[in-house]
Amino acid sequence: MKNIVVIGAGKIGSTIARLLIHSGDYHVTLADRSRQQLDHMEANPALNLAEVDIADHAALVRLLSGKFAVLSAAPFHLTIAIAEAAADAGVHYLDLTEDVESTRRVKAIAASASTAFIPQCGLAPGFISIVANDLASRFDKLDSVRMRVGALPQYPSNALNYNLTWSTDGVINEYIEPCEAIVDGQLIEVPALEEREEFSLDGVTYEAFNTSGGLGTLCETLKDKVRTLNYRTIRYPGHAAIMKALLSDLGLRHRRDVLKDILEHALPSTMQDVVIIFVTVSGWKNGRLVQETYANKVYSAVVAGRMMSAIQITTASSICAVLDMLAKDELPTKGFVRQEDIGLDMFLDSRFGHYYAQKAYGEKIAG
């Protein structure tokens, strides 16, 4: 049984802990600075609770020392402190961050580390990169890779058509920070909330727009190999316009704490959500222009004996699947590991990856 530290006892961190404990192969120490958050976890012989301040580097290193890995489900601004402690403690490091700059710094830390550093192990970035890279590998020559993901309420009931289903800090960050993209073969940055588009899936209309971080390291991986690469977040129509008014017209992009307070007091959370994953890749096979698509919906369900939201299931199962592969030596055990280094079939065949199992591939020949 491997000893794991999960940092962050919120919605996602507690779900990760429950999945790992339920597997029977891991002993989990769940760490958070909030005793109130920790006390929400039910007792289990395979669980320890630890109240820790991430800012206390020495205390964090002591907590991590002797463990197999640390999984960070903490807010993105704590990423570097946890990664540095993991390097000093000599443990493997996995996180869920969508923040581009944090990932760059994790990569720098990994360069001299004796263990594996695997950031962006969630849904997007994370699983979406594994899917996109798998599709892209099937082509002789690539033209475009378009990635769309959204975690949405099944029953929207407010003007934003949205409920809080994961980190409020993360949502705000991806709506503000610049977004990487490849346009006409050039790696550039584009503004968040722009380039809005509409599409329909199963008779429902959605909008999608630029958000930061969802591409993970794919821009670097596919640079000089693809003409167009972009990532957009899926929402119900009308969401982007209201968020742009809040962030730009009212200036709340400069007052993130105020916006967070507004959202958390105005938008209820929900367990009745759906995660939509939609990846389209086009290019040439045997001289013909071809398009392949991965489309999938994951709904909230009972997992490990508890009702879990779709975003909890998809995010937590992704990082747990990567941990399992690392524990089985199916991934590199030293240095920086990209999500696209992970095979899609290997991921989906894992005990945690099966939560994504209702996959659907489509192929269309153009021209």
Side-chain angles (χ1 to χ4, degrees):
M1 183 174 287
K2 294 190 180 297
N3 290 311
I4 306 297
V5 175
V6 176
I7 296 182
K11 297 184 184 74
I12 303 301
S14 60
T15 302
I16 294 168
R18 290 186 178 103
L19 288 180
L20 294 178
I21 292 167
H22 188 74
S23 75
D25 292 326
Y26 297 98
H27 186 282
V28 176
T29 298
L30 182 62
D32 199 290
R33 69 177 182 178
S34 169
R35 171 51 60 177
Q36 183 178 10
Q37 285 280 68
L38 291 169
D39 287 343
H40 289 158
M41 279 293 293
E42 59 278 6
N44 190 288
L47 174 69
N48 288 338
L49 301 177
E51 196 171 342
V52 64
D53 183 355
I54 302 304
D56 188 340
H57 180 77
L60 187 54
V61 171
R62 286 195 299 272
L63 177 68
L64 300 185
S65 294
K67 306 298 194 298
F68 176 74
V70 56
L71 280 59
S72 174
F76 71 91
H77 56 83
L78 299 176
T79 295
I80 303 308
I82 298 169
E84 289 175 341
D88 289 345
V91 302
H92 298 300
Y93 170 86
L94 296 82
D95 73 33
L96 301 170
T97 188
E98 78 291 338
D99 187 65
V100 175
E101 183 55 35
S102 295
T103 300
R104 290 171 181 159
R105 294 183 63 185
V106 169
K107 185 176 182 180
I109 294 168
S112 58
S114 60
T115 54
F117 278 67
I118 316 177
Q120 305 179 320
C121 295
L123 169 62
F127 178 72
I128 189 77
S129 300
I130 298 171
V131 170
N133 193 62
D134 180 82
L135 286 179
S137 69
R138 305 176 185 192
F139 289 79
D140 301 323
K141 180 183 177 182
L142 287 172
D143 179 60
S144 66
V145 178
R146 294 181 168 88
M147 302 153 63
R148 309 290 184 261
V149 171
L152 303 170
Q154 292 185 49
Y155 311 108
S157 59
N158 54 59
L160 278 169
N161 290 314
Y162 190 67
N163 291 86
L164 294 176
T165 56
W166 66 293
S167 165
T168 310
D169 288 310
V171 171
I172 294 171
N173 192 63
E174 70 175 21
Y175 284 1
I176 292 176
E177 295 300 318
C179 317
E180 291 185 324
I182 294 177
V183 178
D184 292 329
Q186 301 299 311
L187 175 57
I188 64 171
E189 288 188 342
V190 295
L193 293 175
E194 298 297 338
E195 299 186 273
R196 179 185 176 277
E197 63 190 24
E198 285 195 0
F199 70 95
S200 294
L201 184 65
D202 297 334
V204 179
T205 300
Y206 303 97
E207 68 178 17
F209 46 84
N210 296 337
T211 54
S212 177
L215 286 176
T217 54
L218 268 180
C219 275
E220 179 182 335
T221 300
L222 295 181
K223 186 181 178 182
D224 301 324
K225 298 178 182 178
V226 67
R227 182 179 62 86
T228 299
L229 170 64
N230 56 50
Y231 171 87
R232 290 172 189 162
T233 288
I234 300 169
R235 296 288 185 256
Y236 294 115
H239 182 90
I242 295 175
M243 289 308 305
K244 286 174 72 173
L246 290 171
L247 290 167
S248 299
D249 297 347
L250 299 183
L252 293 181
R253 66 172 51 248
H254 307 298
R255 303 177 67 189
R256 294 192 188 194
D257 56 335
V258 175
L259 180 57
K260 179 180 179 180
D261 185 68
I262 291 171
L263 294 177
E264 291 187 343
H265 285 85
L267 298 180
S269 62
T270 183
M271 298 295 286
Q272 296 173 299
D273 64 336
V274 56
V275 164
I276 301 170
I277 307 162
F278 193 66
V279 182
T280 301
V281 178
S282 65
W284 284 265
K285 291 184 180 182
N286 300 317
R288 304 189 71 183
L289 182 60
V290 174
Q291 174 180 297
E292 287 199 29
T293 298
Y294 175 101
N296 194 0
K297 289 183 177 180
V298 180
Y299 291 88
S300 53
V302 175
V303 176
R306 294 178 66 94
M307 187 67 187
M308 295 184 183
S309 68
I311 191 63
Q312 285 177 302
I313 293 169
T314 51
T315 304
S317 65
S318 287
I319 196 169
C320 290
V322 176
L323 175 66
D324 248 6
M325 288 182 269
L326 181 65
K328 295 176 182 177
D329 292 328
E330 294 173 345
L331 296 176
T333 57
K334 181 179 179 180
F336 187 78
V337 181
R338 306 169 303 172
Q339 292 301 307
E340 53 267 33
D341 293 330
I342 300 169
L344 178 61
D345 289 339
M346 182 170 64
F347 181 99
L348 292 174
D349 287 342
S350 71
R351 57 180 166 178
F352 296 112
H354 81 270
Y355 293 114
Y356 285 93
Q358 61 267 44
K359 64 181 180 179
Y361 278 108
E363 179 175 296
K364 181 168 64 179
I365 298 176

